[in-house]
Amino acid sequence: MRAIQNLGGVVAACVFGFAAGSAHAQWIRSPTSEELAAAYPAAAKADGVIGRADLSCVVTNDGSLEACAIALETPADRGFGAAALSLRPLFKMDMASPTGAAAKGKRLRLPVRFGVRANAPPLRAAKFKDPGSYAWLAPAGPYWPDRALRMGRGGFVQVDCVVGDDERLKDCVVAQAEGEDVGFADSVLKMAQQRWMTAGPLPPNVAIPADGVWRFEVAFDAKVLPRR
């Protein structure tokens, strides 16, 4: 059984619109650690399995979330998607904040993590270059694996990287990958090497690791080649 350090959390960066940029959401209400623990799938927790689910939701005028659907679940078939959906009523965005005002009526992507392995580096959001004509393949853009695109596959990758003074990611190693067989892990490493992907802002209330290593997550929604 793997050691679990804590029972979950909400990833700091929420993406408004699947092809849009990321922003730090400000919440009036979000699930407590006790509520996350209560929602943690029992069998997965007993097996020491950690997971993540991304919800796609519409932000209402009062900051609550509606019309939510599971956009990503990893690992699959362990109940993390349903667990994240059960937490939906516990979220309420601060509509007086700049992020809340911009999000009103828009679709938000909300990643929810269940469990963090002991001794894992702290999580930090990544920044990506403007994908331009590759906007439909954001955030990977031209680095989206061809094989995955042909097969209509999605994936999820965690990498641990040293962050340089210029926010460049160095010495990256893959910590976890779903869809490694179709090239997602290699794509994330290339994005870091070519500075397509760099470190985002420092997360609030998180100590800077002494070794400079942070963990970054990249989610790939399944895409298919458009018909010609």
Side-chain angles (χ1 to χ4, degrees):
M1 181 185 297
R2 296 189 179 103
I4 297 178
Q5 187 175 27
N6 62 53
L7 291 177
V10 179
V11 177
C14 299
V15 180
F16 299 92
F18 287 149
S22 62
H24 288 286
Q26 293 178 265
W27 302 97
I28 293 175
R29 173 78 165 90
S30 62
T32 65
S33 57
E34 291 80 10
E35 289 165 339
L36 284 160
Y40 205 119
K45 182 161 60 174
D47 292 340
V49 176
I50 66 171
R52 164 176 163 158
D54 288 12
L55 299 181
S56 170
C57 305
V58 174
V59 182
T60 66
N61 290 342
D62 68 356
S64 57
L65 305 180
E66 65 177 19
C68 291
I70 300 168
L72 174 79
E73 182 179 14
T74 180
D77 303 321
R78 295 307 304 254
F80 292 113
L85 280 174
S86 74
L87 296 169
R88 178 200 60 80
L90 303 179
F91 287 97
K92 191 167 187 178
M93 187 174 288
D94 181 1
M95 302 308 287
S97 69
T99 302
K104 187 183 299 184
K106 294 182 180 178
R107 187 158 286 277
L108 166 152
R109 185 183 181 118
L110 177 65
V112 181
R113 293 182 292 116
F114 292 90
V116 176
R117 290 197 180 100
N119 303 317
L123 190 67
R124 186 168 174 177
K127 293 189 301 184
F128 302 89
K129 288 187 177 180
D130 183 346
S133 60
Y134 292 93
W136 71 289
L137 293 176
Y143 293 93
W144 194 283
D146 289 341
R147 185 180 178 193
L149 195 57
R150 291 195 301 270
M151 298 174 65
R153 290 271 301 274
F156 173 75
V157 179
Q158 290 182 328
V159 289
D160 297 341
C161 307
V162 175
V163 176
D165 294 336
D166 55 357
E167 310 303 335
R168 185 170 185 172
L169 307 183
K170 304 180 293 183
D171 302 326
C172 295
V173 295
V174 176
Q176 178 186 348
E178 181 176 313
E180 189 170 8
D181 59 318
V182 291
F184 287 120
D186 288 341
S187 289
V188 172
L189 293 176
K190 288 177 183 176
M191 285 192 283
Q193 291 166 0
Q194 299 300 318
R195 302 197 70 178
W196 182 269
M197 167 182 165
T198 55
L202 287 169
N205 305 317
V206 177
I208 297 175
D211 58 5
V213 177
W214 293 85
R215 176 159 291 179
F216 299 88
E217 298 181 338
V218 183
F220 297 83
D221 294 321
K223 308 284 186 181
V224 293
L225 283 168
R227 294 182 178 180
R228 296 181 178 179

